[in-house]
Amino acid sequence: MIRKLLVSPQFTNPANHYARYSWPVEFVVRALKEVGWTGFSVNDALTPLANMGQQLFEPPDVNGWELGQGWFSTGGMLARMNFAAALATNQKFNLRDIARGNGRTPEALLSYIMDLLTPPSSSGGTYSALLDYTRAGGSWTGSDAQLATKASGLVHLIVGSGDYQII
Amino acid sequence: MPITRREFVRGGVSAFTVSFAAPAFLSDLARAQGRSRRNLVVLYLSGGNDALSTLIPYNDPQYYARRPTLAVPAANVLQIGSDSAGNALGLNPRLTGLKSIFDSGRLALIQRTGYANSSRSHFQGTDIWSTGDPASPQGTGWLGRYLDLLPSPIDPLSGWSTTRETPRTLMARTVGVPSIPSVPAYAFASPNGGADAQYARESATRISSHVPVDRPHLAFVNATARAAFATLDRVATVGAYTPSVAYPNNGLAQALRTVAGAMAKSIGTRVFWVQTGGYDTHAGQNTNQANGSYAGLMGTLNDGLLAFYTDLQNQGLLGDTLVLQFSEFGRRINENGSQGTDHGAAGLMMAMGGTVRGGIYGTAPNLRAVGDNPTLENSGNDVRYETDFRSVYARVIDAWLGASSTAVLGGDFRAGAPQFL
């Protein structure tokens, strides 16, 4: 059965990759695994999860949660972006530390952060928007302060992007 | 087959970018689309409200015979007169505020609303009331279809759901109605302050502007994000609203306070969705206990609506506001063995506002459980509908929203519509 699944054309067809809306809990767990959770309590995720529309173990009714597009109201999308901001804030100094030696240029820092995360195929316009953000705010020095700001900012933008919500 | 960062960078050639609409443009759009200034607030009592405990036929001996512990004594009801068939009616004792609004002629009570072969399923019943289509209750909602008829481009803030999820009623084909349960939480946070926070918002807005034609899931999420960015600043103004009265500290009243703020700040929203739950009273309904569950529900409803009504009156907004209230079904006539009531059929709709022609519409059921009683169904266990709920919708669409009810509802339901507007 597993072999049949793994060798099926549907399994390897790129059109079927990244074609499912992530549940809030999938989004949160994935972000914690990829960004880090030092000093982050599970309880810190419960209110954001509720804001995204999923109160763990408490579906709205016996029908369960409405899946798919139902997760993505404007308020739910902002809740995801704001969780990404809270997580990036929480991990700011860890991100600075791991970015040292990988942030000689804005391009190098962006490349490093993108390798840290696992975004799916997406538009070139996203890359240019991220690079413009990394460059914004003055000349690049690669200082600790700059790395802390831009590494956390990039994590926020990528984890909060539409691309990251599709799995 | 892992997808690499380089594919992330390289991919998506079949994408285009949506120019981000500036807030000033959207404000103009909101003003143009909201020229009439009329607001519709849909209040959904989730769970199936027991209409016979809200509007009480206190002179019907069968009411007391079939509800030995739940019937409200005649001496306690708030008497409001009789319907056109001569049935004496009274409001639940906790609805003192609504009684005063009724007395001022601004509350319409529409009895026995529903549809043929009423569903007793919460899910199906809610879908039917949301779509206005008992035969095929899928797809867009009746107010979503109304929004689809507005001139394009439609302001994303034309509708506002105060719940976390967008209800089916507001699901539209051309616009994603925002869900904003909390104004303070409806903001874009950043891990950094100052100028970097502004750079982050600009970048996030640019990222959301990409519409990959070969990735419909991503296109939908990005469209939602764009709608969020397009509405942030206007929604934030609602946070500065100072009401003229104190609203109770519960979910319903605070949602109504937010709606009043959105109206007062003229942000362009014309259709609001407010929801309150707890009406699935299978057990311990305790209609006659001051601290009972149903008394609590009525108290929450009464106090919230009275604060809202008074606030709008003080702000000069009452004449532009219509509140339409419904539930997915009424409840059984007989009380059950748990001092509660089970899922029933026809229910009660209410309409409240500064231009509403108040009064009692429709006729109360005769609660005598005999087979040939035309006001009952299901072997005399349930109240049979008299007014098709879609005729009420039609009246709202035609006489309040100024649209075509036949276009929105996909049929002509104007005949027999109660003339409360």
Side-chain angles (χ1 to χ4, degrees):
Chain A
M1 174 74 85
I2 297 296
R3 171 183 292 275
K4 190 80 173 173
L5 284 173
L6 296 181
V7 301
S8 68
Q10 290 86 355
F11 188 81
T12 53
N13 184 351
N16 293 332
H17 299 166
Y18 295 103
R20 185 167 73 80
Y21 300 103
S22 63
W23 293 33
V25 71
E26 289 176 314
F27 163 74
V28 164
V29 170
R30 175 185 171 199
L32 287 170
K33 283 174 64 180
E34 293 183 354
V35 178
W37 60 85
T38 307
F40 200 91
S41 162
V42 170
N43 287 334
D44 296 334
L46 295 181
T47 299
L49 272 171
N51 291 338
M52 295 172 209
Q54 187 168 34
Q55 193 168 350
L56 271 187
F57 309 115
E58 291 285 346
D61 51 47
V62 295
N63 216 23
W65 287 286
E66 187 170 348
L67 307 182
Q69 292 185 351
W71 293 121
F72 288 93
S73 65
T74 54
M77 189 62 202
L78 279 172
R80 291 182 184 230
M81 294 180 192
N82 290 343
F83 173 76
L87 182 61
T89 303
N90 183 267
Q91 301 298 309
K92 182 182 285 190
F93 297 109
N94 286 340
L95 290 168
R96 175 201 62 192
D97 292 347
I98 61 173
R100 283 192 189 116
N102 296 294
R104 291 182 303 281
T105 64
E107 291 83 355
L109 179 67
L110 176 55
S111 178
Y112 178 74
I113 295 296
M114 289 173 76
D115 281 340
L116 184 71
L117 307 172
T118 55
S121 173
S122 187
S123 70
T126 298
Y127 179 80
S128 65
L130 292 170
L131 187 58
D132 287 349
Y133 163 75
T134 315
R135 288 170 172 162
S139 58
W140 188 259
T141 63
S143 67
D144 271 8
Q146 199 170 39
L147 287 176
T149 298
K150 294 302 182 181
S152 62
L154 284 171
V155 163
H156 168 221
L157 289 173
I158 295 172
V159 173
S161 70
D163 307 271
Y164 202 84
Q165 315 312 315
I166 312 297
I167 56 176
Chain B
M1 188 174 65
I3 291 176
T4 66
R5 173 181 61 80
R6 281 158 193 83
E7 285 174 292
F8 172 81
V9 173
R10 200 174 53 235
V13 289
S14 53
F16 61 92
T17 300
V18 174
S19 297
F20 183 69
F25 163 71
L26 285 168
S27 297
D28 291 344
L29 183 62
R31 274 193 290 276
Q33 293 186 347
R35 199 163 44 213
S36 72
R37 292 193 66 212
R38 282 184 167 177
N39 303 297
L40 172 63
V41 183
V42 178
L43 171 57
Y44 168 44
L45 309 184
S46 169
N49 178 38
D50 182 25
L52 292 172
S53 292
T54 307
L55 184 60
I56 299 162
Y58 63 90
N59 268 356
D60 187 338
Q62 288 296 314
Y63 170 68
Y64 297 96
R66 301 182 69 172
R67 295 189 163 201
T69 70
L70 295 184
V72 179
N76 294 349
V77 304
L78 306 174
Q79 298 182 16
I80 57 169
S82 301
D83 63 23
S84 59
N87 301 303
L89 294 161
L91 288 170
N92 183 282
R94 281 294 280 113
L95 297 178
T96 52
L98 294 188
K99 168 74 162 49
S100 67
I101 297 170
F102 180 89
D103 290 342
S104 67
R106 296 305 179 201
L107 177 67
L109 303 160
I110 310 165
Q111 304 183 86
R112 291 171 59 202
T113 45
Y115 53 95
N117 302 314
S118 182
S119 172
R120 288 163 185 80
S121 156
H122 291 295
F123 317 121
Q124 190 175 32
T126 303
D127 283 346
I128 287 171
W129 282 80
S130 300
T131 58
D133 188 352
S136 182
Q138 291 99 32
T140 54
W142 69 283
L143 284 174
R145 295 196 295 274
Y146 158 70
L147 294 175
D148 282 336
L149 292 177
L150 294 176
S152 182
I154 300 172
D155 175 18
L157 212 47
S158 296
W160 177 326
S161 169
T162 64
T163 55
R164 281 203 171 101
E165 299 86 27
T166 304
R168 183 178 292 280
T169 299
L170 289 175
M171 285 188 178
R173 187 176 47 79
T174 56
V175 64
V177 171
S179 299
I180 312 172
S182 163
V183 169
Y186 198 81
F188 180 76
S190 174
N192 301 296
D196 199 79
Q198 186 56 35
Y199 301 146
R201 179 167 168 177
E202 289 166 4
S203 293
T205 304
R206 277 179 61 192
I207 291 169
S208 72
S209 69
H210 296 292
V211 183
V213 293
D214 54 346
R215 297 187 60 199
H217 291 70
L218 179 58
F220 175 79
V221 173
N222 278 349
T224 306
R226 283 198 304 280
F229 286 120
T231 53
L232 277 173
D233 294 333
R234 279 185 288 155
V235 171
T237 65
V238 177
Y241 175 62
T242 304
S244 63
V245 300
Y247 282 79
N249 188 24
N250 59 56
L252 171 62
Q254 291 302 307
L256 292 170
R257 179 190 187 280
T258 298
V259 171
M263 292 176 185
K265 296 295 182 183
S266 300
I267 62 169
T269 305
R270 55 173 57 192
V271 177
F272 297 89
W273 175 269
V274 179
Q275 184 170 328
T276 182
Y279 283 87
D280 195 17
T281 50
H282 286 284
Q285 195 166 324
N286 296 330
T287 314
N288 290 307
Q289 294 180 17
N291 59 352
S293 62
Y294 199 79
L297 291 169
M298 290 292 98
T300 299
L301 181 68
N302 179 78
D303 299 348
L305 282 176
L306 180 61
F308 185 58
Y309 185 91
T310 308
D311 193 18
L312 294 184
Q313 197 166 40
N314 295 341
Q315 305 280 3
L317 293 166
L318 190 60
D320 297 322
T321 304
L322 171 67
V323 179
L324 183 69
Q325 179 231 285
F326 75 99
S327 193
E328 67 264 40
F329 45 64
R331 304 193 79 81
R332 286 277 167 90
I333 299 168
N334 285 6
E335 69 179 54
N336 61 28
S338 305
Q339 285 77 54
T341 49
D342 299 323
H343 301 183
L348 172 72
M349 294 181 81
M350 294 189 201
M352 182 184 88
T355 60
V356 165
R357 284 195 284 269
I360 303 169
Y361 292 84
T363 58
N366 176 340
L367 299 182
R368 205 158 57 91
V370 292
D372 60 349
N373 183 342
T375 69
L376 304 184
E377 63 183 33
N378 186 23
S379 304
N381 286 307
D382 292 323
V383 174
R384 178 178 167 76
Y385 87 104
E386 177 184 48
T387 298
D388 190 316
F389 73 105
R390 291 168 293 185
S391 73
V392 180
Y393 288 178
R395 190 68 190 160
V396 171
I397 294 164
D398 293 323
W400 186 256
L401 296 175
S404 163
S405 67
T406 55
V408 171
L409 298 174
D412 190 347
F413 299 98
R414 293 171 292 183
Q419 303 294 298
F420 59 95
L421 288 169

